[in-house]
Amino acid sequence: IVGMGMTTPLIVHVARRQLENLGRTVGILYGLNIFGAATGAIVCGLVLIEAWGLDGTTVFAGMLNGIAAGLALLATRNIQTQDTAEKELRHLSRLSRIDVAAVFFGFGTLALQVVFFRVLHVYLTLSTIVFPIVLCAYLLLMAIGQAVGGYLADRYASHLLPKVVSILFTAGAILTLFALRMPPGWAASFGALRFTDFNGQLVWDYPNLIGDPPLVAALLFSLLFMLAVVAWSAIFPVLLRIATANISEAGASFGRLYAMYTVGNVAGTILTGVVILSALGTGGAAVFTVAVVGFGCAVLAMGSSRTEKMKVWGYAVLGLAVSALIPLDYYQRFQLSQYKVTDVIEGRVGVVTVSPTNRFYSIVDISRTASASALVRPAGPADQYEAWRWNHTELMALDPDFRPKRVLVIGLGHGYLPDALLDHPFIQEIVIVDLSPEIVSAVKKHTATSTRRIFHDPRVRIVVADGRRFVQSALKRGETFDLIQIKINEPWHAGSGNLFTVEFFELTKRLLSPNGYLGVRPLVGHLSDGMQVFGSAVYPGYYHLFFKKKGPIVPVERLTVSDDIEENWTRLKPGAPGVDLSRSGKLDVIYFDHLDRDLVRDRNSDNWPTFEYYWLRQRLGEWKSPRTSLAGVEFDKYRKAVPIR
């Protein structure tokens, strides 16, 4: 990356001709460089990773760098340059107001990116196609901004350029206000306001908004939303024109300014993502970003005449005044149909919103993917909510020797499972790992039923961490668990596909005690990948598919409901009158010791994440959905009714 960073200043140095067209030269060259980055982002994210895997894509990127180097050598083989190293070193030794201003402008450029990306994820939801689309849009707007700034830098005399910078700043502030004042309902007309299946229950009258966004709609909406990037990106070539007194120093000036911008970029990214968003929220972070860039304008104007200085500061004050209109309660505005946001919790990981339903729970979204829910009242008769759907007694009846003492739950989700497991007398410890402290806070804050006990019971330990890293660390510590349950229901939206790769299943197998089980949602994709590691599986007909460490899983002719699980076997949450009590007779079970052809899916691996990257195969008609649930009628031929004793 150091080597790649050196190339652009060298190209500018070689391509320079005269001071009068330096702005356009840099604007076009740097703009084309960023346009290439935009192309790389979307092609890599939508096509290359899916087609060649992460290893193949990385090798291809390295080859492109080699080709670019060869082309550069051919293009410059006959160019003679004057040795100006000594002059440039003297130039680099002085810190000027332009350098200081560049740090502030660099801060604003990347801080604005962080803010916009967070907002757009709440519009478009988290899926593997969204990030490359949003990144591509951002880079395209940056490329346009470079070209615009290059034109402005050459069009106006140098003494007017500080004023041009302040006008660009004000334009960016106004466009930022426009973006954050845009009614979210407008995005629905683009098809860009998206919902997952779970929170989509609140917008059934908008079925076209459920699922991944159309690529073109997402790209166009992202371009419209982030128009401010054009104005603020245009500042760079204008600032370069101010900083370059002699055409022979063009390369050194560009490199120095680029370095100052990058210092600001790093500060803007880290401080905004880690501190400012948590402390001020999205709206407050946007106001803070505008203020930082406005301060950069003020610093730049210090070397101007008094009249020019007053004009620059006047535009800066106008931009700051505009920023005062940016809404601080931005996510409260996400209202569509029955989807109403009543609470917002922001932090380092993301934006959590709480939306009530007409049922017994409120939906807890992070970046508007339905990651959890909070029970706000006891279930009623029409809710048909069965505790035994979550307490794993069907597995314990299939395997009378299985009585888990230590349980690892990855993903807090709804809190149902740990709550139900606490009813078992043999449970000694439940470790719940969740990536998002905001999710934990929201579920704890809004849960109003007995499920709240999971936050206070001494047998429960909640760890805020990445689930995969927790498993790796637990293995290093020599820990084991009798039951590992991955509670991520929609990893293709939640960005948690790496918890379902073949390699991660191998890690969980090592973490299990000798007779332990791994539980996942009963999806065909999970079955196909898990079988490669465990060799056998069992689906007892409810909400979980199980793999046993010490296989194979041997079919039984009769289920045994012993005294220690009998109460929990039949225990129902409120709503019992609406529940079919047929569980007491037979249980439909599917055993797997091999996979028929119709159950095999593309291997989901760390290198080839096919579970999340499927855009290309869908277009080619080659994709077989791994999301199909084993509960569907098409799997009736595999079911075996096992009598219960």
Side-chain angles (χ1 to χ4, degrees):
I1 293 173
V2 171
M4 291 167 63
M6 292 171 64
T7 57
T8 311
L10 291 173
I11 292 173
V12 169
H13 187 70
V14 169
R16 74 196 192 285
R17 288 293 180 269
Q18 52 189 0
L19 197 60
E20 288 73 18
N21 68 356
L22 177 63
R24 276 169 286 188
T25 300
V26 170
I28 292 172
L29 284 173
Y30 194 29
L32 286 172
N33 181 272
I34 296 172
F35 177 78
T39 305
I42 199 163
V43 172
C44 176
L46 296 183
V47 177
L48 298 185
I49 292 176
E50 184 177 351
W52 296 341
L54 294 170
D55 286 349
T57 303
T58 304
V59 170
F60 177 71
M63 290 173 60
L64 286 184
N65 272 328
I67 293 170
L71 292 173
L73 288 172
L74 286 173
T76 59
R77 65 188 186 280
N78 295 322
I79 292 180
Q80 301 295 323
T81 58
Q82 182 182 358
D83 184 8
T84 57
E86 183 179 349
K87 182 189 299 183
E88 290 170 2
L89 285 173
R90 287 199 304 271
H91 175 73
L92 289 171
S93 66
R94 299 189 300 269
L95 185 67
S96 68
R97 59 185 172 81
I98 298 176
D99 298 320
V100 175
V103 173
F104 288 117
F105 294 143
F107 182 104
T109 303
L110 263 292
L112 190 67
Q113 179 190 22
V114 173
V115 169
F116 279 166
F117 276 35
R118 173 164 284 200
V119 175
L120 285 169
H121 279 152
V122 179
Y123 275 105
L124 302 169
T125 76
L126 288 175
S127 69
T128 48
I129 70 168
V130 168
F131 180 76
I133 289 172
V134 174
L135 180 58
C136 176
Y138 176 83
L139 293 171
L140 284 174
L141 293 169
M142 275 196 72
I144 295 170
Q146 296 301 318
V148 170
Y151 170 79
L152 294 175
D154 293 338
R155 173 69 174 79
Y156 295 98
S158 59
H159 69 279
L160 292 178
L161 290 182
K163 183 178 177 181
V164 172
V165 171
S166 63
I167 292 173
L168 289 171
F169 156 68
T170 304
I174 293 171
L175 290 170
T176 301
L177 174 65
F178 163 75
L180 296 179
R181 279 288 178 183
M182 182 190 303
W186 286 13
S189 60
F190 274 84
L193 180 59
R194 308 304 294 186
F195 297 83
T196 66
D197 290 338
F198 188 61
N199 57 26
Q201 65 183 278
L202 300 177
V203 291
W204 283 125
D205 43 343
Y206 293 91
N208 61 307
L209 299 182
I210 298 174
D212 291 339
L215 190 152
V216 174
L219 182 61
L220 290 177
F221 182 74
S222 299
L223 289 169
L224 174 65
F225 192 87
M226 296 190 290
L227 277 174
V229 174
V230 173
W232 283 9
S233 295
I235 292 175
F236 180 84
V238 176
L239 206 61
L240 177 65
R241 184 67 174 79
I242 298 173
T244 307
N246 190 313
I247 190 61
S248 65
E249 298 180 352
S253 295
F254 182 94
R256 179 190 181 92
L257 196 65
Y258 195 24
M260 294 298 103
Y261 252 80
T262 304
V263 169
N265 289 163
V266 173
T269 303
I270 294 177
L271 291 178
T272 304
V274 175
V275 179
I276 298 171
L277 281 171
S278 299
L280 303 179
T282 298
V287 173
F288 184 84
T289 300
V290 172
V292 169
V293 179
F295 190 75
C297 290
V299 170
L300 183 64
M302 287 180 179
S304 305
S305 65
R306 182 175 180 180
T307 302
E308 189 68 21
K309 188 182 301 182
M310 295 303 295
K311 290 179 181 179
V312 171
W313 287 357
Y315 281 109
V317 169
L318 176 60
L320 293 173
V322 166
S323 72
L325 302 176
I326 293 174
L328 300 182
D329 59 342
Y330 183 74
Y331 299 105
Q332 300 279 2
R333 302 158 63 88
F334 278 76
Q335 318 284 342
L336 184 70
S337 188
Q338 301 301 309
Y339 189 89
K340 312 292 183 186
V341 175
T342 58
D343 192 17
V344 179
I345 298 175
E346 284 201 68
R348 289 170 57 181
V349 175
V351 181
V352 168
T353 56
V354 179
S355 300
T357 71
N358 58 7
R359 300 189 67 190
F360 59 99
Y361 55 83
S362 291
I363 296 174
V364 179
D365 290 343
I366 184 164
S367 295
R368 267 191 345 91
T369 61
S371 300
S373 65
L375 305 184
V376 296
R377 62 173 175 79
D383 290 316
Q384 297 191 6
Y385 170 59
E386 317 94 282
W388 40 256
R389 190 179 178 196
W390 302 91
N391 63 20
H392 291 353
T393 48
E394 69 278 11
L395 175 62
M396 300 171 200
L398 284 168
D399 185 350
D401 296 327
F402 178 64
R403 296 296 182 267
K405 295 180 175 61
R406 295 196 76 220
V407 179
L408 171 62
V409 179
I410 300 178
L412 173 62
H414 317 282
Y416 303 156
L417 177 60
D419 180 30
L421 288 173
L422 287 173
D423 289 336
H424 298 303
F426 41 79
I427 293 291
Q428 295 178 0
E429 182 183 22
I430 300 175
V431 179
I432 304 172
V433 179
D434 199 287
L435 177 65
S436 169
E438 299 84 15
I439 285 286
V440 175
S441 297
V443 174
K444 182 177 181 179
K445 178 180 179 181
H446 290 275
T447 298
T449 67
S450 60
T451 302
R452 285 185 62 85
R453 67 175 171 162
I454 68 174
F455 298 102
H456 309 291
D457 194 294
R459 292 172 291 172
V460 178
R461 179 162 61 99
I462 298 178
V463 179
V464 175
D466 176 85
R468 181 157 181 154
R469 292 180 183 176
F470 178 87
V471 167
Q472 292 168 333
S473 299
L475 283 169
K476 291 179 180 178
R477 293 191 297 267
E479 292 189 64
T480 60
F481 291 90
D482 305 310
L483 172 66
I484 299 175
Q485 182 69 50
I486 307 178
K487 285 294 297 157
I488 309 296
N489 287 343
E490 296 182 346
W492 50 90
H493 281 131
S496 305
N498 71 333
L499 295 176
F500 298 95
T501 63
V502 173
E503 291 85 352
F504 184 68
F505 284 162
E506 290 171 345
L507 291 176
T508 59
K509 185 176 182 180
R510 290 167 50 197
L511 190 61
L512 287 170
S513 60
N515 293 312
Y517 284 87
L518 167 67
V520 296
R521 187 178 174 188
L523 301 181
V524 173
H526 298 338
L527 171 67
S528 181
D529 293 322
M531 286 286 286
Q532 297 185 50
V533 176
F534 292 89
S536 62
V538 61
Y539 174 49
Y542 289 99
Y543 206 73
H544 302 95
L545 170 70
F546 297 103
F547 303 97
K548 188 177 183 180
K549 177 174 184 175
K550 193 176 180 180
I553 299 175
V554 180
V556 298
E557 298 301 321
R558 187 182 300 272
L559 276 72
T560 302
V561 180
S562 52
D563 293 341
D564 58 345
I565 64 170
E566 183 177 7
E567 180 183 355
N568 289 301
W569 171 267
T570 56
R571 184 178 181 183
L572 306 177
K573 289 287 187 184
V579 176
D580 181 5
L581 300 180
S582 61
R583 178 171 182 167
S584 59
K586 295 182 178 180
L587 190 69
D588 289 333
V589 181
I590 306 179
Y591 288 98
F592 299 96
D593 58 9
H594 71 283
L595 290 183
D596 292 345
R597 182 175 299 179
D598 62 330
L599 295 176
V600 177
R601 295 296 184 270
D602 291 335
R603 176 187 172 102
N604 185 51
S605 68
D606 289 349
N607 179 47
W608 228 301
T610 58
F611 200 76
E612 293 182 277
Y613 287 82
Y614 49 83
W615 183 86
L616 177 62
R617 285 171 295 151
Q618 276 187 314
R619 298 303 175 276
L620 298 176
E622 299 173 354
W623 186 64
K624 293 177 67 176
S625 174
R627 307 176 188 177
T628 307
S629 173
L630 294 170
V633 295
E634 64 266 38
F635 301 104
D636 285 345
K637 60 183 179 180
Y638 296 105
R639 303 186 206 287
K640 177 183 178 181
V642 181
I644 298 168
R645 178 172 61 191

